[in-house]
Amino acid sequence: MSSGKSPGWKRAAQIGLGILAIIVSGVALFFPGLTVISIVILLAIVLIFVGIEKIISGIFIQHKSRWATVGLGVLVIILAAIFLSFPLGTTIFLIYLLAFALMFDGFARIIHGFTDKELRGWSRGFSIGVGILAVIISIMILVTPLLGVFLVGFFIGIALIIIGIQMISAGISGRESRLVPSKGFRE
């Protein structure tokens, strides 16, 4: 590996974007519900553009599944419009889906911990313990979906803090790593 200094504009962009990520993380941590609903709205907007692209490609590109592509594009737009019309309901629905997924994963880990004969000692106990914890958290989210919204917003906030710190440190250090073939490398 060889490293050199990044250009000044790139370093400034990294520092600026890192600061922005940390500011947004603060908003995500203090307003987790707003964060999750904003992500749902943003994804619905992206889905509208995806649906439009599918309709356009279905109309203008000749292929066997032409009308199926158009139909699916229309369906995507309809679902995205429903998501935009009911962002809170969509968010709660997604939180329920995540809770059920977490519950099924927890049950799978518990079953794996009890039935896998190759797991030994602490590994078996850890698998069972993590599975029980996942089931408990999923039940808590199913009982109080607001807890799920809070947890998702919290994790997004923590992830943005970590990303922001990494970007700022990369900008301050100015070090750019890139792979360079060794002298013995032949094409």
Side-chain angles (χ1 to χ4, degrees):
M1 255 204 228
S2 174
S3 62
K5 285 285 189 181
S6 294
W9 65 267
K10 182 177 179 184
R11 295 174 66 190
Q14 286 175 317
I15 293 170
L17 290 172
I19 291 170
L20 182 64
I22 290 175
I23 291 169
V24 172
S25 75
V27 173
L29 289 172
F30 287 110
F31 304 105
L34 178 65
T35 300
V36 176
I37 290 173
S38 298
I39 290 172
V40 167
I41 290 170
L42 183 63
L43 288 174
I45 291 169
V46 168
L47 283 174
I48 286 175
F49 288 110
V50 167
I52 291 169
E53 184 274 330
K54 287 296 169 195
I55 291 171
I56 291 171
S57 67
I59 291 172
F60 294 109
I61 298 174
Q62 298 290 331
H63 51 84
K64 290 181 182 178
S65 59
R66 178 180 188 178
W67 296 111
T69 301
V70 171
L72 290 173
V74 169
L75 184 62
V76 167
I77 291 173
I78 291 170
L79 288 174
I82 292 170
F83 295 164
L84 282 174
S85 299
F86 305 102
L88 183 60
T90 302
T91 302
I92 299 300
F93 175 72
L94 291 175
I95 293 298
Y96 278 128
L97 284 179
L98 289 172
F100 280 115
L102 184 62
M103 181 182 287
F104 295 143
D105 180 64
F107 285 138
R109 290 180 188 280
I110 292 169
I111 291 168
H112 183 261
F114 280 117
T115 59
D116 189 354
K117 301 301 179 195
E118 292 184 21
L119 287 179
R120 297 283 181 233
W122 68 271
S123 182
R124 179 178 285 222
F126 191 71
S127 178
I128 294 168
V130 168
I132 291 171
L133 183 63
V135 170
I136 289 170
I137 291 173
S138 69
I139 290 170
M140 290 170 54
I141 292 171
L142 288 171
V143 170
T144 309
L146 191 59
L147 173 66
V149 171
F150 172 77
L151 287 174
V152 170
F154 177 76
F155 288 131
I156 289 170
I158 296 298
L160 285 171
I161 286 175
I162 293 168
I163 290 167
I165 291 170
Q166 186 276 328
M167 290 173 76
I168 291 171
S169 67
I172 290 173
S173 72
R175 306 293 289 175
E176 186 173 289
S177 297
R178 58 181 163 250
L179 293 174
V180 176
S182 65
K183 292 180 183 180
F185 180 76
R186 297 179 195 247
E187 293 181 352

PDB file of all heavy atoms in Angstrom, residues 156-180:
ATOM      1  N   ILE A 156     -29.645   4.926  13.669  1.00  0.00           N
ATOM      2  CA  ILE A 156     -29.270   5.794  12.547  1.00  0.00           C
ATOM      3  C   ILE A 156     -28.400   6.940  13.056  1.00  0.00           C
ATOM      4  O   ILE A 156     -27.381   7.286  12.447  1.00  0.00           O
ATOM      5  CB  ILE A 156     -30.528   6.317  11.819  1.00  0.00           C
ATOM      6  CG1 ILE A 156     -31.204   5.180  11.056  1.00  0.00           C
ATOM      7  CG2 ILE A 156     -30.174   7.468  10.864  1.00  0.00           C
ATOM      8  CD1 ILE A 156     -32.577   5.538  10.504  1.00  0.00           C
ATOM      9  N   GLY A 157     -28.787   7.529  14.185  1.00  0.00           N
ATOM     10  CA  GLY A 157     -28.005   8.613  14.768  1.00  0.00           C
ATOM     11  C   GLY A 157     -26.598   8.179  15.146  1.00  0.00           C
ATOM     12  O   GLY A 157     -25.622   8.880  14.860  1.00  0.00           O
ATOM     13  N   ILE A 158     -26.471   7.022  15.783  1.00  0.00           N
ATOM     14  CA  ILE A 158     -25.149   6.506  16.161  1.00  0.00           C
ATOM     15  C   ILE A 158     -24.302   6.236  14.922  1.00  0.00           C
ATOM     16  O   ILE A 158     -23.120   6.571  14.869  1.00  0.00           O
ATOM     17  CB  ILE A 158     -25.289   5.225  17.023  1.00  0.00           C
ATOM     18  CG1 ILE A 158     -25.992   5.543  18.345  1.00  0.00           C
ATOM     19  CG2 ILE A 158     -23.943   4.565  17.262  1.00  0.00           C
ATOM     20  CD1 ILE A 158     -25.265   6.519  19.232  1.00  0.00           C
ATOM     21  N   ALA A 159     -24.912   5.636  13.899  1.00  0.00           N
ATOM     22  CA  ALA A 159     -24.177   5.352  12.657  1.00  0.00           C
ATOM     23  C   ALA A 159     -23.690   6.653  12.021  1.00  0.00           C
ATOM     24  O   ALA A 159     -22.550   6.727  11.555  1.00  0.00           O
ATOM     25  CB  ALA A 159     -25.063   4.580  11.683  1.00  0.00           C
ATOM     26  N   LEU A 160     -24.524   7.689  12.022  1.00  0.00           N
ATOM     27  CA  LEU A 160     -24.117   8.967  11.436  1.00  0.00           C
ATOM     28  C   LEU A 160     -22.997   9.627  12.232  1.00  0.00           C
ATOM     29  O   LEU A 160     -22.113  10.263  11.644  1.00  0.00           O
ATOM     30  CB  LEU A 160     -25.321   9.909  11.322  1.00  0.00           C
ATOM     31  CG  LEU A 160     -26.305   9.580  10.208  1.00  0.00           C
ATOM     32  CD1 LEU A 160     -27.556  10.437  10.330  1.00  0.00           C
ATOM     33  CD2 LEU A 160     -25.653   9.756   8.844  1.00  0.00           C
ATOM     34  N   ILE A 161     -23.004   9.481  13.553  1.00  0.00           N
ATOM     35  CA  ILE A 161     -21.903  10.018  14.360  1.00  0.00           C
ATOM     36  C   ILE A 161     -20.598   9.332  13.977  1.00  0.00           C
ATOM     37  O   ILE A 161     -19.570   9.982  13.768  1.00  0.00           O
ATOM     38  CB  ILE A 161     -22.179   9.840  15.871  1.00  0.00           C
ATOM     39  CG1 ILE A 161     -23.231  10.839  16.336  1.00  0.00           C
ATOM     40  CG2 ILE A 161     -20.900  10.032  16.690  1.00  0.00           C
ATOM     41  CD1 ILE A 161     -23.652  10.652  17.779  1.00  0.00           C
ATOM     42  N   ILE A 162     -20.632   8.015  13.895  1.00  0.00           N
ATOM     43  CA  ILE A 162     -19.416   7.254  13.559  1.00  0.00           C
ATOM     44  C   ILE A 162     -18.921   7.633  12.166  1.00  0.00           C
ATOM     45  O   ILE A 162     -17.729   7.864  11.955  1.00  0.00           O
ATOM     46  CB  ILE A 162     -19.685   5.739  13.674  1.00  0.00           C
ATOM     47  CG1 ILE A 162     -19.943   5.375  15.134  1.00  0.00           C
ATOM     48  CG2 ILE A 162     -18.532   4.924  13.092  1.00  0.00           C
ATOM     49  CD1 ILE A 162     -20.494   3.989  15.352  1.00  0.00           C
ATOM     50  N   ILE A 163     -19.836   7.730  11.201  1.00  0.00           N
ATOM     51  CA  ILE A 163     -19.459   8.115   9.837  1.00  0.00           C
ATOM     52  C   ILE A 163     -18.882   9.525   9.826  1.00  0.00           C
ATOM     53  O   ILE A 163     -17.862   9.788   9.179  1.00  0.00           O
ATOM     54  CB  ILE A 163     -20.679   8.004   8.894  1.00  0.00           C
ATOM     55  CG1 ILE A 163     -21.044   6.535   8.686  1.00  0.00           C
ATOM     56  CG2 ILE A 163     -20.411   8.699   7.558  1.00  0.00           C
ATOM     57  CD1 ILE A 163     -22.400   6.337   8.039  1.00  0.00           C
ATOM     58  N   GLY A 164     -19.520  10.438  10.549  1.00  0.00           N
ATOM     59  CA  GLY A 164     -19.039  11.817  10.601  1.00  0.00           C
ATOM     60  C   GLY A 164     -17.646  11.919  11.190  1.00  0.00           C
ATOM     61  O   GLY A 164     -16.779  12.623  10.659  1.00  0.00           O
ATOM     62  N   ILE A 165     -17.400  11.218  12.292  1.00  0.00           N
ATOM     63  CA  ILE A 165     -16.075  11.238  12.916  1.00  0.00           C
ATOM     64  C   ILE A 165     -15.034  10.661  11.966  1.00  0.00           C
ATOM     65  O   ILE A 165     -13.927  11.206  11.832  1.00  0.00           O
ATOM     66  CB  ILE A 165     -16.102  10.473  14.258  1.00  0.00           C
ATOM     67  CG1 ILE A 165     -16.936  11.257  15.280  1.00  0.00           C
ATOM     68  CG2 ILE A 165     -14.697  10.225  14.776  1.00  0.00           C
ATOM     69  CD1 ILE A 165     -17.232  10.486  16.563  1.00  0.00           C
ATOM     70  N   GLN A 166     -15.375   9.576  11.283  1.00  0.00           N
ATOM     71  CA  GLN A 166     -14.432   8.968  10.346  1.00  0.00           C
ATOM     72  C   GLN A 166     -14.115   9.926   9.208  1.00  0.00           C
ATOM     73  O   GLN A 166     -12.964  10.063   8.806  1.00  0.00           O
ATOM     74  CB  GLN A 166     -15.002   7.647   9.811  1.00  0.00           C
ATOM     75  CG  GLN A 166     -14.051   6.862   8.945  1.00  0.00           C
ATOM     76  CD  GLN A 166     -14.042   7.290   7.488  1.00  0.00           C
ATOM     77  OE1 GLN A 166     -15.056   7.725   6.951  1.00  0.00           O
ATOM     78  NE2 GLN A 166     -12.897   7.187   6.853  1.00  0.00           N
ATOM     79  N   MET A 167     -15.119  10.621   8.687  1.00  0.00           N
ATOM     80  CA  MET A 167     -14.903  11.556   7.579  1.00  0.00           C
ATOM     81  C   MET A 167     -14.049  12.734   8.024  1.00  0.00           C
ATOM     82  O   MET A 167     -13.143  13.168   7.294  1.00  0.00           O
ATOM     83  CB  MET A 167     -16.240  12.040   7.024  1.00  0.00           C
ATOM     84  CG  MET A 167     -17.012  10.967   6.279  1.00  0.00           C
ATOM     85  SD  MET A 167     -18.655  11.502   5.800  1.00  0.00           S
ATOM     86  CE  MET A 167     -18.269  12.561   4.425  1.00  0.00           C
ATOM     87  N   ILE A 168     -14.311  13.259   9.211  1.00  0.00           N
ATOM     88  CA  ILE A 168     -13.522  14.382   9.715  1.00  0.00           C
ATOM     89  C   ILE A 168     -12.075  13.963   9.939  1.00  0.00           C
ATOM     90  O   ILE A 168     -11.146  14.680   9.550  1.00  0.00           O
ATOM     91  CB  ILE A 168     -14.145  14.943  11.011  1.00  0.00           C
ATOM     92  CG1 ILE A 168     -15.474  15.635  10.698  1.00  0.00           C
ATOM     93  CG2 ILE A 168     -13.189  15.922  11.704  1.00  0.00           C
ATOM     94  CD1 ILE A 168     -16.273  16.022  11.923  1.00  0.00           C
ATOM     95  N   SER A 169     -11.878  12.789  10.525  1.00  0.00           N
ATOM     96  CA  SER A 169     -10.502  12.342  10.774  1.00  0.00           C
ATOM     97  C   SER A 169      -9.758  12.088   9.465  1.00  0.00           C
ATOM     98  O   SER A 169      -8.575  12.393   9.353  1.00  0.00           O
ATOM     99  CB  SER A 169     -10.482  11.095  11.662  1.00  0.00           C
ATOM    100  OG  SER A 169     -11.045   9.991  11.002  1.00  0.00           O
ATOM    101  N   ALA A 170     -10.453  11.572   8.458  1.00  0.00           N
ATOM    102  CA  ALA A 170      -9.808  11.368   7.154  1.00  0.00           C
ATOM    103  C   ALA A 170      -9.457  12.711   6.524  1.00  0.00           C
ATOM    104  O   ALA A 170      -8.387  12.864   5.924  1.00  0.00           O
ATOM    105  CB  ALA A 170     -10.728  10.573   6.227  1.00  0.00           C
ATOM    106  N   GLY A 171     -10.333  13.707   6.676  1.00  0.00           N
ATOM    107  CA  GLY A 171     -10.059  15.023   6.121  1.00  0.00           C
ATOM    108  C   GLY A 171      -8.930  15.733   6.835  1.00  0.00           C
ATOM    109  O   GLY A 171      -8.094  16.391   6.210  1.00  0.00           O
ATOM    110  N   ILE A 172      -8.876  15.608   8.153  1.00  0.00           N
ATOM    111  CA  ILE A 172      -7.816  16.265   8.917  1.00  0.00           C
ATOM    112  C   ILE A 172      -6.467  15.616   8.642  1.00  0.00           C
ATOM    113  O   ILE A 172      -5.467  16.300   8.434  1.00  0.00           O
ATOM    114  CB  ILE A 172      -8.148  16.241  10.428  1.00  0.00           C
ATOM    115  CG1 ILE A 172      -9.313  17.181  10.713  1.00  0.00           C
ATOM    116  CG2 ILE A 172      -6.928  16.623  11.265  1.00  0.00           C
ATOM    117  CD1 ILE A 172      -9.840  17.109  12.130  1.00  0.00           C
ATOM    118  N   SER A 173      -6.442  14.281   8.630  1.00  0.00           N
ATOM    119  CA  SER A 173      -5.155  13.596   8.410  1.00  0.00           C
ATOM    120  C   SER A 173      -4.667  13.791   6.986  1.00  0.00           C
ATOM    121  O   SER A 173      -3.471  13.842   6.740  1.00  0.00           O
ATOM    122  CB  SER A 173      -5.275  12.103   8.728  1.00  0.00           C
ATOM    123  OG  SER A 173      -6.040  11.440   7.746  1.00  0.00           O
ATOM    124  N   GLY A 174      -5.601  13.891   6.058  1.00  0.00           N
ATOM    125  CA  GLY A 174      -5.224  14.111   4.660  1.00  0.00           C
ATOM    126  C   GLY A 174      -4.545  12.939   4.006  1.00  0.00           C
ATOM    127  O   GLY A 174      -4.017  13.049   2.908  1.00  0.00           O
ATOM    128  N   ARG A 175      -4.539  11.817   4.664  1.00  0.00           N
ATOM    129  CA  ARG A 175      -3.884  10.634   4.107  1.00  0.00           C
ATOM    130  C   ARG A 175      -4.844   9.915   3.181  1.00  0.00           C
ATOM    131  O   ARG A 175      -5.997   9.705   3.507  1.00  0.00           O
ATOM    132  CB  ARG A 175      -3.435   9.675   5.211  1.00  0.00           C
ATOM    133  CG  ARG A 175      -2.557  10.292   6.274  1.00  0.00           C
ATOM    134  CD  ARG A 175      -1.225  10.713   5.812  1.00  0.00           C
ATOM    135  NE  ARG A 175      -0.405   9.558   5.533  1.00  0.00           N
ATOM    136  CZ  ARG A 175       0.795   9.635   5.022  1.00  0.00           C
ATOM    137  NH1 ARG A 175       1.319  10.801   4.728  1.00  0.00           N
ATOM    138  NH2 ARG A 175       1.487   8.563   4.777  1.00  0.00           N
ATOM    139  N   GLU A 176      -4.353   9.556   2.030  1.00  0.00           N
ATOM    140  CA  GLU A 176      -5.160   8.814   1.065  1.00  0.00           C
ATOM    141  C   GLU A 176      -4.460   7.498   0.784  1.00  0.00           C
ATOM    142  O   GLU A 176      -3.330   7.478   0.313  1.00  0.00           O
ATOM    143  CB  GLU A 176      -5.320   9.622  -0.220  1.00  0.00           C
ATOM    144  CG  GLU A 176      -6.259   8.984  -1.202  1.00  0.00           C
ATOM    145  CD  GLU A 176      -6.515   9.900  -2.384  1.00  0.00           C
ATOM    146  OE1 GLU A 176      -7.196  10.916  -2.205  1.00  0.00           O
ATOM    147  OE2 GLU A 176      -6.016   9.574  -3.472  1.00  0.00           O
ATOM    148  N   SER A 177      -5.100   6.404   1.076  1.00  0.00           N
ATOM    149  CA  SER A 177      -4.510   5.086   0.829  1.00  0.00           C
ATOM    150  C   SER A 177      -5.006   4.546  -0.492  1.00  0.00           C
ATOM    151  O   SER A 177      -6.158   4.692  -0.840  1.00  0.00           O
ATOM    152  CB  SER A 177      -4.895   4.107   1.939  1.00  0.00           C
ATOM    153  OG  SER A 177      -4.372   4.534   3.162  1.00  0.00           O
ATOM    154  N   ARG A 178      -4.116   3.928  -1.216  1.00  0.00           N
ATOM    155  CA  ARG A 178      -4.516   3.270  -2.463  1.00  0.00           C
ATOM    156  C   ARG A 178      -3.606   2.068  -2.664  1.00  0.00           C
ATOM    157  O   ARG A 178      -2.456   2.052  -2.241  1.00  0.00           O
ATOM    158  CB  ARG A 178      -4.474   4.230  -3.634  1.00  0.00           C
ATOM    159  CG  ARG A 178      -3.125   4.846  -3.852  1.00  0.00           C
ATOM    160  CD  ARG A 178      -3.172   5.820  -5.027  1.00  0.00           C
ATOM    161  NE  ARG A 178      -2.008   6.660  -4.932  1.00  0.00           N
ATOM    162  CZ  ARG A 178      -2.020   7.930  -4.626  1.00  0.00           C
ATOM    163  NH1 ARG A 178      -3.145   8.530  -4.404  1.00  0.00           N
ATOM    164  NH2 ARG A 178      -0.917   8.615  -4.549  1.00  0.00           N
ATOM    165  N   LEU A 179      -4.146   1.094  -3.320  1.00  0.00           N
ATOM    166  CA  LEU A 179      -3.375  -0.116  -3.580  1.00  0.00           C
ATOM    167  C   LEU A 179      -2.451   0.111  -4.763  1.00  0.00           C
ATOM    168  O   LEU A 179      -2.861   0.591  -5.799  1.00  0.00           O
ATOM    169  CB  LEU A 179      -4.310  -1.288  -3.882  1.00  0.00           C
ATOM    170  CG  LEU A 179      -5.165  -1.758  -2.708  1.00  0.00           C
ATOM    171  CD1 LEU A 179      -6.142  -2.826  -3.195  1.00  0.00           C
ATOM    172  CD2 LEU A 179      -4.296  -2.325  -1.609  1.00  0.00           C
ATOM    173  N   VAL A 180      -1.200  -0.219  -4.566  1.00  0.00           N
ATOM    174  CA  VAL A 180      -0.216  -0.122  -5.641  1.00  0.00           C
ATOM    175  C   VAL A 180       0.433  -1.491  -5.764  1.00  0.00           C
ATOM    176  O   VAL A 180       0.866  -2.067  -4.768  1.00  0.00           O
ATOM    177  CB  VAL A 180       0.855   0.951  -5.305  1.00  0.00           C
ATOM    178  CG1 VAL A 180       1.924   1.001  -6.368  1.00  0.00           C
ATOM    179  CG2 VAL A 180       0.206   2.303  -5.138  1.00  0.00           C
TER     180      VAL A 180
END
